[in-house]
Amino acid sequence: METITGANGCDGFPKIKVAIVGGGLVGTLSACYFAKRGHEVHLYELRPDIRELEHVPGRSINLALSVRGRAALKEVGLEEQLVQRHGIPMYARMIHELDGSTRSIPYGKKDQCIYSVGRRFLNESLLTAAEKYPNVHCHFNQKLVSANLKQGQMTFERQPSKEIEQVEAQLVVGADGAFSSVRKQMMKQPLCDFSQTYIPHGYLELCIPALSDGTHAMPKNYLHIWPRGRFMMIALPNQDASWTVTLFMPFDEFGKLDTPQRLLAFFKEHFPDAVPLIGEEKLVSDFFACKPSPLVSVKCGPYNIGDTALIIGDAAHAMVPFYGQGMNAGFEDCRLLDAVLLKHKFDVGPALKEFSTTRRPDAEAICGLAMYNYVEMRDLVNRKSFLIRKKVDSLLHSLMPNLWIPLYTSVTFSHMPYAQCIKNKEWQDKVRHTKQNQHDYLINKRQFYRS
């Protein structure tokens, strides 16, 4: 076995052949991390090279990049290129009321923001960055049809020729998404847990075009939300001054909008200020051009098979998009995996075991938080109790920044493990409950003595 030497590697550590299945966001970033350490990396992707496609099939929901994702990009020298030069900062949620009025709810302190980034731009940039390493080899149109993960053996079918290729690697990394082929192979092993949950809500994408002068139709440094209880609509800004608009709604509600007349009546009732921004003709055209897509949450474990296979990103912990942490958690996987490999001096077996053991509870925690945040975004943001708690949390955080960290701040603007974020919130809830009981006791006692 060769050893890694040189500025980008780690002197004296083993050098291995790594096969990464999945050329999406997490797979390409993982390739950069392994390549930086001097390993031989082969990246296999089912789709053609997206840089050569006019239209990329699949999801195009804009992504919200926050601290965890930025830290992972920084480690491979990509943060400035992808964030500072392309990302659009969003400092607050902009809430759209039924009467067309708006109000903002800051995400955190004045200088804290998340960034709207385009999925395709990010993926293309990561692919290009990976290919700059001479030890990275990209293989497109490759479908994984079978694998013996214990032996590091895989069978790929080239599309569309159906040509079969046998591949071997010392480490197989599955970064092939929520419906991962690598995970399906792992599930054949005993003692592998797996569950997936579909929510009864789907999503459908629309678009607000740029104004005639090439500017954004709404204030651009916000994530715009139209919360309506059972459903909601959001809009994220794009670099070309358009907006990616996503309608989240129960499938039964989607089913009722089966004619242009019903669709327009629905939007004029629930999203009246958005109709002129989208345009009636474009709204009808875009809405009926595709069907609403489902939303799934995946939990499984362990994430590894010995020292030969591992799953990361959505393959290990797909989540609904309502906390904006899917990509960020996947990018954080890459950074944490690199750190644990360095800790174990690239003794892969112990490193993968530690990664799987420590990462799983955090991944399951953020999957749960993402489910909860949908309720917050579509309903709770309109409640007075939510706004009061938000203001109290902000005040306490400003007074005790290291002691009182609001849940959203800990998830989005820190590196606190996700499971610890939940424990931190539970402690805060207990403090609030205790203080409320003390307050109620004093009020009752005062009224007793007055009577």
Side-chain angles (χ1 to χ4, degrees), residues 48-89:
D49 187 341
I50 63 170
R51 294 166 296 183
E52 300 175 358
L53 298 178
E54 182 176 348
H55 172 71
V56 179
R59 297 177 298 169
S60 60
I61 292 180
N62 273 42
L63 301 161
L65 185 65
S66 55
V67 163
R68 297 173 195 264
R70 291 178 61 185
L73 292 171
K74 185 176 182 179
E75 289 289 320
V76 289
L78 295 174
E79 182 189 20
E80 181 179 355
Q81 172 191 344
L82 299 180
V83 179
Q84 303 299 337
R85 299 180 186 176
H86 177 79
I88 298 177

Side-chain angles (χ1 to χ4, degrees), residues 150-341:
K150 283 188 174 182
Q151 301 297 322
Q153 299 170 344
M154 294 157 288
T155 301
F156 287 94
E157 180 183 85
R158 184 171 180 81
Q159 307 298 314
S161 67
K162 306 295 184 182
E163 179 184 350
I164 297 297
E165 181 181 0
Q166 305 293 335
V167 174
E168 289 190 12
Q170 290 157 286
L171 176 61
V172 178
V173 178
D176 49 342
F179 304 101
S180 168
S181 296
V182 175
R183 188 185 65 235
K184 289 178 182 177
Q185 298 296 324
M186 292 182 71
M187 291 302 105
K188 296 176 181 178
Q189 303 296 318
L191 304 179
C192 285
D193 299 327
F194 171 76
S195 68
Q196 67 178 28
T197 303
Y198 283 94
I199 65 173
H201 299 241
Y203 72 90
L204 191 145
E205 290 190 356
L206 304 167
C207 176
I208 293 176
L211 297 176
S212 57
D213 62 358
T215 60
H216 288 85
M218 301 183 292
K220 74 173 184 177
N221 295 121
Y222 300 89
L223 190 157
H224 291 255
I225 306 177
W226 290 257
R228 298 297 182 260
R230 287 194 72 214
F231 48 86
M232 72 171 183
M233 191 166 71
I234 67 172
L236 277 77
N238 297 316
Q239 283 286 348
D240 64 359
S242 68
W243 294 81
T244 297
V245 181
T246 310
L247 175 62
F248 297 97
M249 193 162 62
F251 281 102
D252 60 348
E253 293 290 341
F254 274 116
K256 296 175 184 178
L257 307 181
D258 54 359
T259 67
Q261 293 76 19
R262 288 175 178 166
L263 172 65
L264 291 174
F266 174 85
F267 263 74
K268 289 176 181 179
E269 177 183 357
H270 297 289
F271 311 114
D273 61 328
V275 174
L277 299 177
I278 300 173
E280 292 189 11
E281 184 176 340
K282 182 171 178 57
L283 172 59
V284 171
S285 174
D286 289 353
F287 186 90
F288 290 106
C290 57
K291 295 181 179 180
S293 300
L295 294 163
V296 66
S297 180
V298 170
K299 297 179 181 180
C300 65
Y303 296 156
N304 70 302
I305 294 180
D307 61 354
T308 57
L310 176 75
I311 51 175
I312 58 176
D314 282 357
H317 45 72
M319 64 195 73
V320 293
F322 306 115
Y323 226 115
Q325 286 296 302
M327 172 189 65
N328 290 288
F331 282 5
E332 189 175 54
D333 284 352
C334 298
R335 184 180 65 83
L336 295 177
L337 175 61
D338 180 64
V340 78
L341 284 165

Side-chain angles (χ1 to χ4, degrees), residues 19-50:
I20 299 174
V21 182
L25 301 174
V26 175
T28 48
L29 181 59
S30 181
C32 292
Y33 269 89
F34 279 108
K36 183 181 75 167
R37 301 302 180 191
H39 302 293
E40 179 186 349
V41 181
H42 291 263
L43 184 67
Y44 295 90
E45 168 57 38
L46 174 61
R47 301 170 299 176
D49 187 341
I50 63 170

